[in-house]
């Protein structure tokens, strides 16, 4: 049994160090000097100071020296002011003491043992109390880490699932703790079986969490691949648009050459009025600029020009109101905007030509871009198809645009609002700026 007790004490020392580093990870970003070897070296110094069987210093002196080791580690590996790092380490130690006192006090009430007896290694009771302490600390630190790192990869659903798993871990230990002191009646065999079952349940729960985390990583990679494909698709569209523009320029050069030759012949023949009339007609009609600028931003303007050309081919009125600086460059935002506009254009193709219209508004906001895309509808889309499922026959290869947009917005902590008003289908996107 002493081997079990000593192992539990050693594990608690290791967990305390890991949670101290986790607290630093929660409140500070890693510096460029961060190296795992520093953390490992700090752990090797920390362990003999806090593991009572081999510690040569009194508890209080060992605690202060271990705090000093963590403080030096924070100065070496994390960005931030020294006073903040000192406060975080101090507050975590106070937090650990308070949580420990609460659970040890509960232990004294439930077992009849005094605080001193529970503080000395050598009982199953102490092991269970340590498990409850560190599970509680982990849940609290995880919640704080999630709150501070709100741009992390975990979605709300993932965060909820992990929180429920952690709560299940806590309840498993608590139930076994109750069984140990009220049903085992001091039987060593039942105590050991209860502790083993607790450890097995904890291992199962944390392995499940690990597998869930791996699944999240795989899903995120698939999402990033899908977004990459969408980005490549947009680039291909831009290339086709550039090729078409190049062809138009060649045709324009050829036409201009013929015009100039014709004008030369007319001017030599003294027909000045005919040349003037034809030039006026060319300025008003033939030279009417098709490729005007929607905004100063080149990337957004190129995408809007391509959509404008597509709308002309499909006889859709394309209206744009943009106020975006040329210094703004965010490919992900352009992918989002392009997908929503494509959906609007596809919807307008089904309507009579006289009512086809797509409107786009892009306005910068503090730390974000507000985008509104509207298209005309003849019947309510949200009433007939509230989940906005694709109506195309080959659903496997269509209908991923809106899903990808929502995933990208979730990744960037953006917002999307889909609604209808005045015979229009509206998509309002609030896209945070990196």
């Amino acid at each position: 049994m002493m081997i079990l007790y000593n192992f539990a004490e050693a594990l608690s020392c290791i967990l305390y160090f890991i949670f101290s580093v986790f607290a630093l990870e929660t409140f500070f970003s890693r510096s460029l000097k961060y190296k795992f070897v520093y953390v490992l070296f700090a752990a090797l110094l920390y362990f003999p100071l806090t593991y009572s069987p081999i510690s040569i210093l009194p508890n209080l002196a060992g605690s202060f020296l271990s705090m000093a080791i963590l403080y030096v580690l924070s100065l070496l590996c994390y960005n931030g002011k020294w006073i903040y790092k000192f406060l975080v380490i101090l507050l975590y130690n106070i937090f650990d003491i308070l949580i420990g006192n609460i659970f040890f006090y509960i232990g004294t009430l439930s077992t009849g043992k005094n605080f001193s007896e529970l503080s000395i290694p050598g009982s199953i009771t102490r092991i269970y109390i340590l498990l409850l302490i560190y599970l509680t600390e982990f849940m609290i630190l995880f919640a704080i880490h999630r709150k501070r790192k709100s741009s992390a990869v975990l979605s709300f659903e993932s965060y909820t699932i992990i929180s429920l798993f952690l709560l299940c871990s806590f309840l498993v230990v608590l139930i076994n703790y109750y069984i140990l002191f009220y049903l085992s009646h001091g039987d060593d065999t039942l105590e050991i079986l209860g502790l083993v079952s607790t450890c097995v349940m904890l291992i199962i729960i944390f392995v499940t969490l690990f597998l869930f985390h791996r699944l999240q990583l795989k899903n995120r990679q698939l999402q990033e691949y899908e977004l990459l494909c969408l980005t490549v698709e947009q680039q291909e569209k831009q290339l086709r648009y550039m090729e078409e523009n190049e062809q138009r320029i060649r045709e324009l050069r050829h036409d201009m050459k013929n015009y100039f030759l014709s004008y030369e012949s007319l001017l030599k023949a003294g027909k000045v009025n005919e040349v003037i009339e034809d030039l006026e007609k060319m300025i008003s009609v033939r030279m009417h600029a098709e490729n005007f600028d929607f905004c100063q931003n080149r990337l957004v303007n190129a995408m809007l020009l391509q959509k404008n050309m597509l709308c002309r081919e499909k006889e859709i009125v394309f209206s744009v109101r943009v106020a975006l600086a040329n210094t703004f460059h965010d490919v992900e935002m352009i992918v989002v905007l392009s997908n929503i506009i494509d959906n609007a254009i596809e919807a307008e193709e089904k309507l009579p030509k006289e009512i086809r219209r797509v409107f786009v508004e892009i306005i910068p906001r503090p730390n974000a871009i507000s985008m509104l895309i509207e298209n005309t509808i003849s019947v309510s889309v949200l009433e007939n198809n509230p989940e906005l499922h694709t109506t195309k026959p080959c659903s496997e290869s269509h209908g991923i645009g809106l899903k990808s947009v929502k995933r990208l917005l979730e990744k960037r902590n953006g917002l999307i609002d889909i609604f209808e008003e005045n015979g229009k289908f509206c998509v309002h996107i609030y896209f945070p700026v990196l």
Side-chain angles (χ1 to χ4, degrees):
M1 289 295 289
M2 286 306 298
I3 295 175
L4 177 64
Y5 299 147
N6 289 331
F7 175 76
E9 294 299 321
L11 184 61
S12 67
C13 293
I14 295 170
L15 286 175
Y16 186 84
F17 178 79
I18 291 172
F19 285 5
S20 299
V21 174
F22 187 36
L24 292 173
E25 292 274 345
T26 299
F27 290 96
F28 304 104
S29 61
R30 294 179 182 180
S31 69
L32 296 175
K33 297 180 292 183
Y34 180 90
K35 293 182 180 178
F36 180 73
V37 67
Y38 292 162
V39 180
L40 184 61
F41 184 69
L44 293 175
L45 290 176
Y46 180 92
F47 183 74
L49 294 174
T50 54
Y51 183 48
S52 54
I54 62 174
S55 178
I56 59 174
L57 296 175
N59 286 340
L60 187 61
S63 297
F64 281 125
L65 194 53
S66 61
M67 287 174 62
I69 292 172
L70 285 167
Y71 180 63
V72 173
L73 178 66
S74 71
L75 294 176
L76 287 174
C77 297
Y78 295 94
N79 297 315
K81 294 184 178 180
W82 66 269
I83 185 65
Y84 295 158
K85 297 173 184 176
F86 175 77
L87 288 174
V88 166
I89 293 171
L90 181 63
L91 287 172
Y92 176 69
N93 278 269
I94 295 172
F95 164 74
D96 179 72
I97 292 170
L98 290 174
I99 294 291
N101 286 342
I102 291 170
F103 278 102
F104 275 109
Y105 179 70
I106 294 172
T108 61
L109 294 177
S110 60
T111 64
K113 297 180 180 180
N114 59 44
F115 193 88
S116 299
E117 290 175 323
L118 294 177
S119 300
I120 299 172
S123 69
I124 296 289
T125 309
R126 177 176 169 80
I127 295 176
Y128 271 102
I129 291 173
L130 290 174
L131 281 172
L132 290 170
I133 289 171
Y134 286 114
L135 279 171
T136 303
E137 290 186 2
F138 185 67
M139 283 192 288
I140 294 172
L141 284 173
F142 175 74
I144 295 173
H145 185 80
R146 165 66 183 175
K147 184 69 176 178
R148 288 186 58 82
K149 309 286 184 180
S150 58
S151 60
V153 297
L154 286 179
S155 63
F156 176 76
E157 292 80 6
S158 304
Y159 172 67
T160 304
I161 292 171
I162 292 176
S163 299
L164 287 174
F165 266 103
L166 292 175
L167 184 60
C168 288
S169 303
F170 182 84
L171 292 175
V172 165
V173 177
L174 195 61
I175 291 168
N176 277 6
Y177 177 82
Y178 177 83
I179 293 172
L180 173 68
F181 295 110
Y182 292 99
L183 299 179
S184 67
H185 304 296
D187 189 327
D188 290 343
T189 303
L190 288 177
E191 288 182 355
I192 294 174
L193 286 175
L195 184 60
V196 170
S197 67
T198 300
C199 294
V200 169
M201 286 299 298
L202 287 175
I203 290 170
I204 291 172
I205 288 171
F206 281 101
V207 167
T208 305
L209 281 176
F210 174 76
L211 294 175
F212 179 77
H213 177 66
R214 295 292 299 176
L215 182 62
Q216 287 288 107
L217 289 176
K218 184 177 180 180
N219 287 337
R220 193 181 326 121
Q221 290 171 352
L222 290 173
Q223 291 171 13
E224 290 174 355
Y225 174 74
E226 184 179 320
L227 293 172
L228 178 62
C229 291
L230 289 171
T231 304
V232 171
E233 181 184 345
Q234 297 304 319
Q235 291 175 344
E236 290 176 352
K237 289 180 180 179
Q238 297 299 328
L239 288 173
R240 288 197 296 270
Y241 176 69
M242 291 170 64
E243 290 174 354
E244 291 171 359
N245 273 350
E246 182 65 25
Q247 181 62 31
R248 290 180 180 180
I249 290 172
R250 290 198 191 99
E251 293 173 357
L252 181 61
R253 286 176 178 171
H254 182 266
D255 291 343
M256 292 301 294
K257 180 180 178 181
N258 292 331
Y259 285 137
F260 289 145
L261 289 173
S262 300
Y263 293 155
E264 182 183 16
S265 300
L266 290 171
L267 289 172
K268 286 180 179 179
K271 299 180 179 180
V272 178
N273 291 333
E274 286 85 344
V275 173
I276 293 174
E277 288 177 3
D278 199 69
L279 284 172
E280 289 176 349
K281 185 186 295 183
M282 181 185 295
I283 292 170
S284 61
V285 180
R286 296 173 189 160
M287 296 299 291
H288 178 69
E290 292 185 359
N291 296 333
F292 55 88
D293 288 338
F294 288 105
C295 65
Q296 296 179 350
N297 189 285
R298 292 183 179 180
L299 289 175
V300 176
N301 189 65
M303 185 272 294
L304 291 174
L305 285 172
Q306 190 265 335
K307 303 303 178 190
N308 182 51
M309 182 179 68
L310 185 61
C311 285
R312 285 191 178 185
E313 293 174 359
K314 300 179 182 297
E315 300 183 67
I316 301 171
V317 177
F318 188 65
S319 306
V320 176
R321 184 165 61 199
V322 186
L324 203 59
N326 192 33
T327 54
F328 178 80
H329 298 286
D330 194 325
V331 176
E332 288 184 340
M333 189 213 79
I334 296 173
V335 169
V336 167
L337 183 61
S338 180
N339 271 270
I340 299 299
I341 295 175
D342 283 342
N343 290 343
I345 292 173
E346 289 176 7
E348 293 305 283
E349 288 184 84
K350 303 172 185 177
L351 299 179
K353 295 179 181 179
E354 59 272 9
I355 63 171
R356 295 178 183 176
R357 182 176 179 271
V358 173
F359 172 73
V360 178
E361 180 184 70
I362 309 172
I363 300 175
R365 301 293 184 193
N367 302 318
I369 301 294
S370 173
M371 297 182 287
L372 177 65
I373 301 92
E374 298 177 348
N375 61 276
T376 306
I377 53 176
S378 56
V379 295
S380 175
V381 176
L382 295 177
E383 285 183 7
N384 299 324
N385 186 12
E387 299 298 326
L388 298 176
H389 294 302
T390 180
T391 56
K392 295 181 179 180
C394 186
S395 59
E396 290 81 4
S397 59
H398 296 288
I400 64 170
L402 192 56
K403 291 181 183 177
S404 300
V405 166
K406 289 181 177 179
R407 287 172 184 165
L408 198 151
L409 287 169
E410 183 178 337
K411 171 186 169 186
R412 291 281 291 269
N413 287 331
L415 300 173
I416 182 170
D417 183 24
I418 301 174
F419 58 96
E420 294 175 351
E421 63 177 13
N422 301 326
K424 299 174 186 174
F425 183 84
C426 308
V427 179
H428 187 205
I429 296 172
Y430 195 77
F431 198 87
V433 177
L434 290 174

